[in-house]
DNA sequence: TTTGATTATCGCAATATTACGATTTATATT
DNA sequence: AATATAAATCGTAATATTGCGATAATCAAA
């Protein structure tokens, strides 16, 4: 079906999945790292750094913005993108909790 | 196209993306949490806990196994699944490094 | 050897994602 | 007003993902 049944899962499960999606494509990992390391900020600079077309980069940026982990400041004709620190921290904390949940040793 | 151009990204970027994929669906988040908390281990128990069909759960388990974050011990007719601690730690460390990369403050 | 229990796989359908060329939008500059 | 620049969006194509019923596979037990 290709349609995730989000309504049958908890809000937390859905949010973890959404935050994970931000990192679930190598292009988005690259974009987030460039922004986190401040090697690029203007959208055009990102396009130069990435082996993808302008349209494709813009689409990944849109998805990251939808998730909330980045924000963009319009400064026409340019747009300056950067990490949304609050959501970055939310993700960091969320994954921290997920990983902490492991009770050792595993049974098999 | 729907075809990720993995060959143009670094191995690290691709691995981060793959590990993130393990958590990029609420059902897989739920499965991983159940296994991490040891609330379930036998596949059938997971099916009972999740609002999805046996076939769908089996498919998610297969994907998690492909990524390596879980392993299964066959004990016919049952299969006992559990977290692969080494990969769990790899993921924990990988995401830790990703999140550490943020240089503050953001420029916009 | 048949039955039962458990899990994997197949086949299918529907939606989602990825990618890019072409176009549009929005603004500054001339 | 016309032009140039940068980014978003549109349209399209192809592949991926999600989900499930049905079936197959696997082994224990009767």
């Amino acid at each position: 079906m290709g349609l995730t049944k989000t309504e049958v899962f908890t809000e937390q499960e859905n949010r973890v999945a959404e935050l994970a999606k931000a990192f679930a494509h190598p292009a988005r990992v690259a974009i987030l790292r460039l922004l986190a390391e401040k090697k690029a900020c203007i959208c055009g600079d990102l396009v130069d750094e990435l082996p993808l077309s302008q349209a494709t980069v813009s689409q990944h940026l849109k998805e990251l913005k939808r998730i909330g982990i980045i924000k963009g400041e319009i400064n026409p004709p340019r747009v300056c993108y950067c990490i949304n620190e609050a959501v970055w921290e939310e993700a960091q904390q969320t994954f921290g909790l997920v990983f902490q949940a492991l009770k050792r040793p595993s049974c098999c």
Side-chain angles (χ1 to χ4, degrees), chain A residues 31-87:
Chain A
I31 289 172
L32 290 171
R33 206 190 43 202
L34 286 167
L35 292 182
E37 293 178 354
K38 293 269 195 58
K39 284 191 184 152
C41 188
I42 305 298
C43 176
D45 296 342
L46 291 170
V47 173
D48 292 343
E49 296 275 352
L50 296 169
L52 296 171
S53 74
Q54 184 265 323
T56 302
V57 171
S58 191
Q59 203 171 295
H60 282 302
L61 287 169
K62 187 181 177 183
E63 174 66 5
L64 291 172
K65 220 162 127 184
R66 187 191 64 76
I67 293 167
I69 204 163
I70 68 170
K71 51 186 174 178
E73 193 173 79
I74 297 171
N75 208 329
R78 291 180 192 75
V79 177
C80 172
Y81 280 105
C82 67
I83 299 294
N84 184 332
E85 295 188 24
V87 178

Side-chain angles (χ1 to χ4, degrees), chain A residues 86-97:
Chain A
V87 178
W88 188 266
E89 273 165 34
E90 180 202 349
Q92 184 167 24
Q93 207 164 29
T94 297
F95 284 109
L97 287 175

